[in-house]
Amino acid sequence: MRTYHCFWLLFWAGQPHQSLLTPLSKRTSGFPEQEKVLVLSGNSRQDLHRSKRSWMWNQFFLLEEYTGTDYQYVGKLHSDQDKGDGSLKYILSGDGAGDLFIINENTGDIQATKRLDREEKPVYILRAQAINRRTGRPVEPESEFIIKIHDINDNEPMFTKDVYNASIPEMSDVGTFVVQVTATDADDPTYGNSAKVVYSILQGQPYFSVESETGIIKTALLNMDRENREQYQVVIQAKDMGGQMGGLSGTTTVNITLTDVNDNPPRFPQSTYQFRAPESMPLDSPVGRIKANDADVDENAEIEYSITEGDGYDMFGITTDKDTQEGIITVKKALDFENKNLYILKVEATNTHVDPRFLYLGPFKDSATVRIQVEDVDEPPMFSRPAYIMEVKEDVPLNSVIGTVTAQDPDAAKNPVKYSVDRHTDMDRVFNINSGNGSIFTSKPLDRETLLWHNITVIAAEINNPKQSSRVPVFIKVLDVNDNAPEFAMFYETFVCENAKAEQLIQTLSAVDKDDSYNGHQFSFSLAPEAASSSNFTLQDNRDNTAGIFTRKTRYNRHETSTYFLPVVISDNDYPIQSSTETVTIRVCACDHRGKMLSCNAEALVHPTGLSTGALIAILLCIIILLVTVVLFAALRRQRKKEPLIISKEDIRDNIVSYNDEGGGEEDTQAFDIGTLRNPEAIDDNKLRRDIVPETLFMPRRTATARDNTDVRDFINQRLKENDTDPTAPPYDSLATYAYEGNGSVAESLSSLESVTTDGDQDYDYLSDWGPRFKKLADMYGSMDSDKDS
């Protein structure tokens, strides 16, 4: 007979234990009246249940946030093999077993040791088993069950943001979407109303409203004006339990800003503006500023100003300052108080960005009247023209008037004006001006060929206020008169061959004239009267401002006459007629049969274009010879040996001995001690020359120090004697230091600085005995003596 071993899982559902046992198929709101048993056999699991109900007892519900002092009772395990003799042992494994959930191994009672939070972990899966305490072998298969944490309303709704920021245009319609707020509840949304959130507005009415289920905030008031109020702070509440009493709640703040729209036209604060402008105001200078106020901001407040009408419509302009939105009135044309002293303008201000939705509010522009009073100022004189052009002939007599400039004071006072010439523009003072009437006249002769145009500046200044002055340029053109005779275009020097034939052309002449001819120059050429009959040459006028020189005879002899000078008379056809006599030089030369020149006289023939070939060759040879000479001289001087200072041995001089040995200077510290040279008293008795070995070693002799009152001459003689008799004196270059000045000279000071203080007269007669070189000094000082005597 097969035996079935059953494992009973009991859950004691009682109110004191604060636990619930709920079937899997459906939820009950109450508690079962009797304990429920789960019977599991060894081979197949069979649920023992009442015949009237199909409850399943493999899951349990446990309230979260238990606040009792004892452990919270969960349920009881029981096996049909348990005889109550303590032979079975119950064990528990799975989520939280042994720590969060403990079991009584004898009775199978399960308890929770800690407070449970559904939001941390809503479900725990555990496994229960009964084993033989003695053998340790399981008497029932392992059974799995679930403990679900039953939710309570312990979490308030939380908004996703602490502060919301939103903006909508002003003047929006009612129901305009603003922003949506969202709150979440950590409680179980599937159980009860713990997580059902309802939104409401606590602050912000009647301007805004919120939808209770979605959290969408909308406008609730029509025509909210930003100019009246720009910022709104709305407080929204989210409450669970469907908003019922006892539910938990949370709040958030929504900052709502009304953005600007162009719903306000510009308006001038006053209807009339007054400005003053001096008549000397420069063009484009600002006269004044006006501003129309606009309650809008940014681009909705941008204003454009314009002058629509008025008698100063073309005299003034207006622009908009983009930073301040002010209208700047500027001068477009020069003002003149004497012509018009009052201008009236109508200025209009218009919005540049108009919103068509608000045109019903009226025209988005405004106008105002601007009165501009022109003030009189002391203006400088004004010339009748911006510039003057005058003409004068170059032969005009001095002090001749060539033109007149006129200037007047534009002021109502009509102050008298005086004129002057700016001498920086007329440094040579060629022109002058009458200070009273402005007539310009010449003060020096004019020459068109030297300077054609004279550009001077005339100054007009008020007599009462010379600082008020103005300037005008005067351009004076010098007109030409025929005052220059024509002359050769170049210097003519030509030649004629000895074997020349008669009527042969040897030179063509041309002429120029410095004067200006309106119809072109017409020159005539002829031989001078003294050469017309006796000349060996003839002159032919070509009637085109050129002439040709022709030979008159067949042959010429250079040994008889080597050079001919032919005078030519050149005349022009202007009035008065001017003429000049020019000379053509003609040399007689030897030529070959083709007429090519071979040689002339001994003098070289110099052409106007440059030197002859022979002259150039000669100059080049001279330069080469000079260079060779310089090079040879430099080479010989470099190879020449340096002569000794003393050639003759008998030429004895004081302490000067010439050797071909150049010392090393002060930097040569091996040759001698420079300190000894500078201070003879510091000579060491045993110190010898260090660079060479002396032939004979003698102990150096220490010279006695000269007495302080010894004369310079005695001192020098004493040193000479000591050096001459000193056997240790080296036979090489030496330096003897005579660093002693002496007590003074018997003749006292030789300076001429003290001569002026000398009372006694000096005799300069001895200068006459010194020869002719000192004759001038003798005459000078001799005359001084004669003056003193007189």
Side-chain angles (χ1 to χ4, degrees):
M1 181 178 180
R2 186 174 181 179
T3 305
Y4 295 93
H5 302 281
C6 296
F7 175 62
W8 298 71
L9 179 60
L10 302 174
F11 175 75
W12 189 264
Q15 185 67 27
H17 302 290
Q18 296 294 320
S19 61
L20 295 176
L21 179 61
T22 305
L24 186 60
S25 58
K26 72 173 188 177
R27 175 178 294 175
T28 60
S29 59
F31 297 97
E33 298 177 356
Q34 298 179 358
E35 60 182 10
K36 311 303 177 185
V37 180
L38 175 62
V39 180
L40 297 177
S41 64
N43 298 325
S44 62
R45 296 186 178 180
Q46 297 181 354
D47 293 340
L48 301 181
H49 53 83
R50 293 182 177 180
S51 60
K52 293 183 180 181
R53 294 184 182 179
S54 58
W55 290 346
M56 298 182 64
W57 303 99
N58 62 342
Q59 64 178 353
F60 303 96
F61 288 89
L62 190 65
L63 288 176
E64 65 172 336
E65 303 296 341
Y66 173 70
T67 59
T69 57
D70 299 331
Y71 289 164
Q72 188 176 5
Y73 186 78
V74 178
K76 183 180 181 64
L77 296 180
H78 186 73
S79 173
D80 58 353
Q81 299 294 326
D82 189 0
K83 305 301 183 179
D85 54 1
S87 61
L88 295 182
K89 178 180 179 182
Y90 298 96
I91 59 176
L92 188 65
S93 62
D95 295 339
D99 179 22
L100 186 58
F101 299 101
I102 60 175
I103 188 172
N104 190 318
E105 61 182 15
N106 295 322
T107 62
D109 294 328
I110 302 174
Q111 292 178 311
T113 62
K114 298 179 180 179
R115 293 176 59 181
L116 301 180
D117 190 357
R118 189 203 66 83
E119 286 71 32
E120 292 182 1
K121 189 175 179 63
V123 177
Y124 294 88
I125 301 175
L126 294 96
R127 292 177 297 277
Q129 193 174 31
I131 62 174
N132 190 293
R133 187 184 297 272
R134 182 170 56 83
T135 63
R137 295 175 62 87
V139 298
E140 296 288 350
E142 189 176 55
S143 178
E144 181 179 275
F145 64 97
I146 297 173
I147 299 179
K148 286 188 176 182
I149 307 302
H150 185 71
D151 183 47
I152 63 172
N153 190 17
D154 60 343
N155 291 279
E156 69 276 4
M158 299 291 293
F159 284 94
T160 56
K161 295 181 181 179
D162 293 335
V163 177
Y164 289 82
N165 294 301
S167 61
I168 57 169
E170 62 173 333
M171 309 298 290
S172 296
D173 296 333
V174 175
T176 302
F177 174 83
V178 179
V179 70
Q180 182 177 12
V181 296
T182 303
T184 58
D185 196 318
D187 293 327
D188 188 3
T190 63
Y191 181 76
N193 295 327
S194 299
K196 185 178 181 180
V197 178
V198 174
Y199 300 94
S200 61
I201 184 169
L202 300 182
Q203 176 182 323
Q205 294 175 332
Y207 307 103
F208 300 96
S209 62
V210 62
E211 292 184 358
S212 60
E213 295 183 358
T214 61
I216 295 176
I217 301 175
K218 298 180 180 180
T219 58
L221 188 64
L222 185 64
N223 295 334
M224 287 190 292
D225 194 358
R226 185 200 64 84
E227 287 72 32
N228 293 331
R229 182 177 178 182
E230 184 177 3
Q231 297 287 340
Y232 293 87
Q233 190 176 74
V234 179
V235 178
I236 301 298
Q237 181 189 65
K239 190 174 183 180
D240 58 12
M241 297 298 293
Q244 298 177 3
M245 186 70 67
L248 302 179
S249 63
T251 59
T252 187
T253 301
V254 182
N255 295 322
I256 302 175
T257 303
L258 296 184
T259 58
D260 185 58
V261 297
N262 192 7
D263 59 339
N264 292 279
R267 290 289 181 263
F268 283 104
Q270 58 192 71
S271 60
T272 304
Y273 293 85
Q274 296 278 353
F275 296 104
R276 293 181 177 271
E279 60 176 339
S280 61
M281 178 173 288
L283 299 182
D284 298 327
S285 299
V287 176
R289 290 172 175 254
I290 60 176
K291 184 177 182 180
N293 298 325
D294 193 328
D296 297 322
V297 294
D298 299 333
E299 68 174 12
N300 297 319
E302 292 182 1
I303 301 174
E304 183 178 356
Y305 296 89
S306 61
I307 300 176
T308 57
E309 59 183 69
D311 52 2
Y313 180 81
D314 59 341
M315 297 294 296
F316 300 92
I318 188 168
T319 58
T320 303
D321 189 335
K322 298 300 181 181
D323 296 331
T324 61
Q325 295 300 316
E326 292 178 316
I328 305 174
I329 301 175
T330 58
V331 179
K332 291 174 57 178
K333 293 184 179 180
L335 303 177
D336 190 356
F337 173 82
E338 288 71 25
N339 293 334
K340 189 175 181 60
N341 57 13
L342 178 63
Y343 294 91
I344 300 176
L345 310 174
K346 184 177 180 181
V347 178
E348 187 175 79
T350 308
N351 276 140
T352 57
H353 302 279
V354 179
D355 194 337
R357 297 177 300 171
F358 304 102
L359 290 177
Y360 67 92
L361 297 177
F364 282 77
K365 60 183 179 180
D366 195 14
S367 59
T369 301
V370 179
R371 300 170 59 89
I372 301 177
Q373 183 72 42
V374 180
E375 297 178 340
D376 187 24
V377 296
D378 190 4
E379 298 178 282
M382 293 183 61
F383 285 93
S384 59
R385 301 179 188 175
Y388 292 85
I389 300 178
M390 301 178 182
E391 293 182 347
V392 59
K393 291 186 177 181
E394 61 179 330
D395 62 345
V396 69
L398 296 181
N399 299 323
S400 298
V401 177
I402 62 176
T404 302
V405 296
T406 304
Q408 292 182 352
D409 183 11
D411 298 325
K414 300 297 180 182
N415 294 320
V417 178
K418 65 177 181 179
Y419 303 91
S420 62
V421 176
D422 186 357
R423 291 306 173 187
H424 292 90
T425 61
D426 186 22
M427 301 294 292
D428 298 331
R429 295 181 177 269
V430 180
F431 301 95
N432 212 332
I433 191 171
N434 189 310
S435 62
N437 57 19
S439 59
I440 301 174
F441 56 90
T442 60
S443 57
K444 286 185 179 181
L446 302 176
D447 187 6
R448 187 200 69 85
E449 289 72 32
T450 303
L451 185 60
L452 177 61
W453 284 93
H454 294 267
N455 302 328
I456 65 174
T457 300
V458 175
I459 304 173
E462 295 181 5
I463 296 178
N464 298 334
N465 186 9
K467 292 183 178 180
Q468 293 294 338
S469 62
S470 57
R471 298 167 175 262
V472 67
V474 179
F475 307 102
I476 303 174
K477 183 180 181 180
V478 181
L479 302 179
D480 184 49
V481 296
N482 193 25
D483 58 345
N484 291 279
E487 57 187 14
F488 280 151
M490 57 183 295
F491 175 75
Y492 290 103
E493 183 176 4
T494 185
F495 71 95
V496 61
C497 295
E498 288 182 312
N499 56 358
K501 297 178 181 181
E503 301 299 327
Q504 181 179 344
L505 178 65
I506 62 174
Q507 182 65 49
T508 300
L509 306 177
S510 63
V512 294
D513 195 336
K514 295 181 180 178
D515 292 325
D516 188 14
S517 177
Y518 298 101
N519 298 322
H521 291 289
Q522 291 293 329
F523 302 126
S524 60
F525 299 86
S526 64
L527 292 178
E530 65 271 13
S533 59
S534 60
S535 176
N536 293 312
F537 302 92
T538 60
L539 180 68
Q540 179 181 345
D541 191 348
N542 298 327
R543 303 298 179 182
D544 59 353
N545 293 337
T546 63
I549 299 177
F550 295 86
T551 58
R552 175 175 286 185
K553 60 183 182 179
T554 302
R555 296 186 62 83
Y556 295 87
N557 190 344
R558 59 175 175 164
H559 298 289
E560 294 179 359
T561 304
S562 61
T563 305
Y564 293 95
F565 298 98
L566 186 65
V568 178
V569 178
I570 311 173
S571 302
D572 57 21
N573 63 345
D574 292 333
Y575 180 83
I577 297 176
Q578 300 288 341
S579 63
S580 65
T581 301
E582 301 289 334
T583 301
V584 180
T585 302
I586 305 174
R587 298 182 183 274
V588 181
C589 301
C591 303
D592 56 10
H593 65 280
R594 291 176 297 182
K596 185 177 181 181
M597 181 184 65
L598 297 178
S599 64
C600 294
N601 53 6
E603 298 178 359
L605 181 61
V606 180
H607 295 280
T609 56
L611 299 176
S612 64
T613 306
L616 292 176
I617 295 175
I619 293 174
L620 183 60
L621 290 175
C622 292
I623 293 175
I624 294 174
I625 294 173
L626 181 61
L627 291 175
V628 172
T629 304
V630 172
V631 172
L632 291 176
F633 178 77
L636 291 175
R637 187 173 182 181
R638 182 176 298 177
Q639 295 178 359
R640 186 176 58 185
K641 296 182 179 179
K642 186 177 181 181
E643 295 182 357
L645 184 62
I646 303 297
I647 299 177
S648 176
K649 295 182 179 179
E650 298 178 356
D651 188 2
I652 301 175
R653 302 183 184 183
D654 293 344
N655 266 2
I656 299 178
V657 181
S658 176
Y659 294 95
N660 291 329
D661 183 13
E662 184 176 354
E666 295 184 1
E667 295 182 357
D668 188 2
T669 58
Q670 298 297 328
F672 52 84
D673 187 2
I674 190 66
T676 304
L677 296 178
R678 294 175 177 171
N679 187 10
E681 298 182 0
I683 298 177
D684 192 357
D685 295 341
N686 297 326
K687 182 176 292 186
L688 300 176
R689 181 163 175 166
R690 290 172 291 176
D691 57 339
I692 61 174
V693 179
E695 297 178 358
T696 307
L697 294 177
F698 292 95
M699 295 302 294
R701 206 168 40 172
R702 184 71 176 270
T703 59
T705 304
R707 298 188 303 273
D708 293 340
N709 296 328
T710 306
D711 190 75
V712 174
R713 182 186 302 174
D714 296 338
F715 174 81
I716 294 175
N717 292 333
Q718 180 182 355
R719 286 291 184 264
L720 288 174
K721 184 177 180 181
E722 291 175 356
N723 281 277
D724 292 338
T725 58
D726 188 4
T728 62
Y732 41 78
D733 289 348
S734 62
L735 176 65
T737 303
Y738 304 98
Y740 182 76
E741 184 177 1
N743 292 333
S745 174
V746 178
E748 297 182 350
S749 174
L750 300 179
S751 174
S752 62
L753 297 177
E754 297 181 358
S755 61
V756 295
T757 60
T758 306
D759 296 334
D761 297 333
Q762 298 186 21
D763 186 8
Y764 298 101
D765 294 338
Y766 62 89
L767 295 175
S768 302
D769 301 335
W770 286 9
R773 293 185 178 181
F774 297 91
K775 183 175 182 306
K776 185 66 176 177
L777 290 175
D779 294 341
M780 292 175 58
Y781 286 94
S783 61
M784 292 175 59
D785 294 341
S786 63
D787 294 341
K788 291 180 180 180
D789 296 339
S790 61

